[in-house]
Amino acid sequence: MTASAALTNNTVNEKREAIEAHATRQSRLMFGGMALIALYLIASFIQFDIGSIVQKWNPTRASMFVLDTYAHKDHVTMKWKEPGKVEASFEGGWRHVYQTPPSWLVPGADGAQTVTFANGSTITFFKDRVVMTHEELSQPLTFRVSAQGKPYIEGHESSQAGLPGWIRVSESKVEVRPSLYERLQVYKTKAEVHRYSVGWKYFWFDFDSKLRDYSLFGAIGLAFSGERLDPEQPNFSFALQEFLNNEIW
């Protein structure tokens, strides 16, 4: 073997050894990282008592948490001490009360207020009771509060037999949840409805904004409108300012 051939073989061997050493280091790093992740997961499982959480897992409650990521809710409340006064608000915020009732809150000739849902069910607030209709009910249910302050369902004062599984009655509350999008809670002091709708309401402009009922494209269209919403600035600047100052965010 010539000197040049031997030198070439030595160079090849050195490169092969370098590549193998690099591959070994990479393998050790990978397995070391996997071991650290495994140790972290085991420590977290112990630290946060994951086993106990799994045992207490409630799929209904979990779905309610997930619901808030893709839907919003409006609250409709009547306090028993103020019969006839029904207040609707976005997400229950005291600053986000509807001065003009939404289209789904329908007034009645007798002073009643009816919350309508997309599936056709209704919940009506009267001065002394709340009445619910639903496709799974053979007849409407009437909710009241006794003189002792206990909420109850007419005809089921002493027994819950015959009630759907989505109704729970306790000493302090009647909880009605026929679906993720409908909820009624009757307490000693008040009755409240949560009406869920898909989408993030007031995502672009907050509740008090002049643009709150505009979509994004509707607001963009205002930039090309000759009539200014704010005499002091162009519509584009106004819309941008309203977006950046969205207080709900």
Side-chain angles (χ1 to χ4, degrees):
M1 179 181 295
T2 64
S4 60
L7 180 61
T8 300
N9 286 338
N10 289 337
T11 301
V12 170
N13 289 335
E14 289 173 358
K15 289 185 176 180
R16 182 174 63 250
E17 290 173 358
I19 292 172
E20 290 176 350
H22 178 73
T24 301
R25 286 196 299 271
Q26 291 295 102
S27 297
R28 288 174 179 172
L29 286 174
M30 181 183 69
F31 286 112
M34 293 175 63
L36 287 174
I37 292 173
L39 287 173
Y40 172 77
L41 292 175
I42 293 171
S44 297
F45 189 92
I46 297 172
Q47 176 69 24
F48 297 107
D49 195 13
I50 302 299
S52 173
I53 293 175
V54 171
Q55 292 177 357
K56 298 176 182 177
W57 174 258
N58 185 321
T60 301
R61 185 174 299 172
S63 63
M64 288 174 61
F65 281 119
V66 174
L67 179 64
D68 286 331
T69 67
Y70 64 86
H72 65 274
K73 66 179 179 294
D74 291 297
H75 293 211
V76 185
T77 308
M78 182 182 74
K79 297 179 180 178
W80 297 112
K81 289 185 177 180
E82 301 178 273
K85 181 182 178 181
V86 177
E87 185 175 87
S89 61
F90 172 65
E91 292 288 356
W94 64 270
R95 294 182 57 189
H96 304 139
V97 176
Y98 293 100
Q99 300 304 317
T100 301
S103 59
W104 43 261
L105 183 58
V106 183
D110 53 358
Q113 299 281 337
T114 299
V115 180
T116 61
F117 296 88
N119 62 3
S121 61
T122 65
I123 297 177
T124 303
F125 292 87
F126 295 92
K127 292 182 178 181
D128 59 347
R129 66 194 186 280
V130 176
V131 177
M132 178 180 189
T133 66
H134 193 276
E135 59 184 3
E136 294 185 24
L137 297 173
S138 58
Q139 58 184 5
L141 290 179
T142 299
F143 303 84
R144 297 180 183 270
V145 173
S146 69
Q148 293 73 37
K150 179 182 177 180
Y152 68 94
I153 304 173
E154 275 191 1
H156 298 274
E157 291 85 345
S158 57
S159 172
Q160 299 180 39
L163 290 176
W166 37 263
I167 295 179
R168 291 182 298 170
V169 181
S170 68
E171 288 295 318
S172 59
K173 180 176 72 171
V174 176
E175 173 85 17
V176 182
R177 189 87 191 218
S179 73
L180 282 177
Y181 300 96
E182 310 157 87
R183 187 181 194 182
L184 168 65
Q185 296 171 305
V186 184
Y187 298 92
K188 173 183 179 180
T189 58
K190 67 178 182 178
E192 184 168 85
V193 169
H194 293 173
R195 185 185 189 276
Y196 285 82
S197 300
V198 174
W200 291 354
K201 202 171 185 180
Y202 311 124
F203 179 88
W204 302 107
F205 308 105
D206 67 31
F207 188 86
D208 297 318
S209 172
K210 292 181 179 180
L211 302 178
R212 77 176 191 181
D213 294 323
Y214 281 83
S215 65
L216 175 62
F217 294 106
I220 292 175
L222 286 175
F224 303 97
S225 173
E227 183 179 354
R228 290 188 175 187
L229 293 177
D230 182 353
E232 302 298 324
Q233 58 183 320
N235 284 343
F236 177 80
S237 300
F238 178 72
L240 180 61
Q241 178 179 311
E242 291 293 289
F243 168 71
L244 295 176
N245 293 326
N246 188 332
E247 292 185 0
I248 290 181
W249 284 107

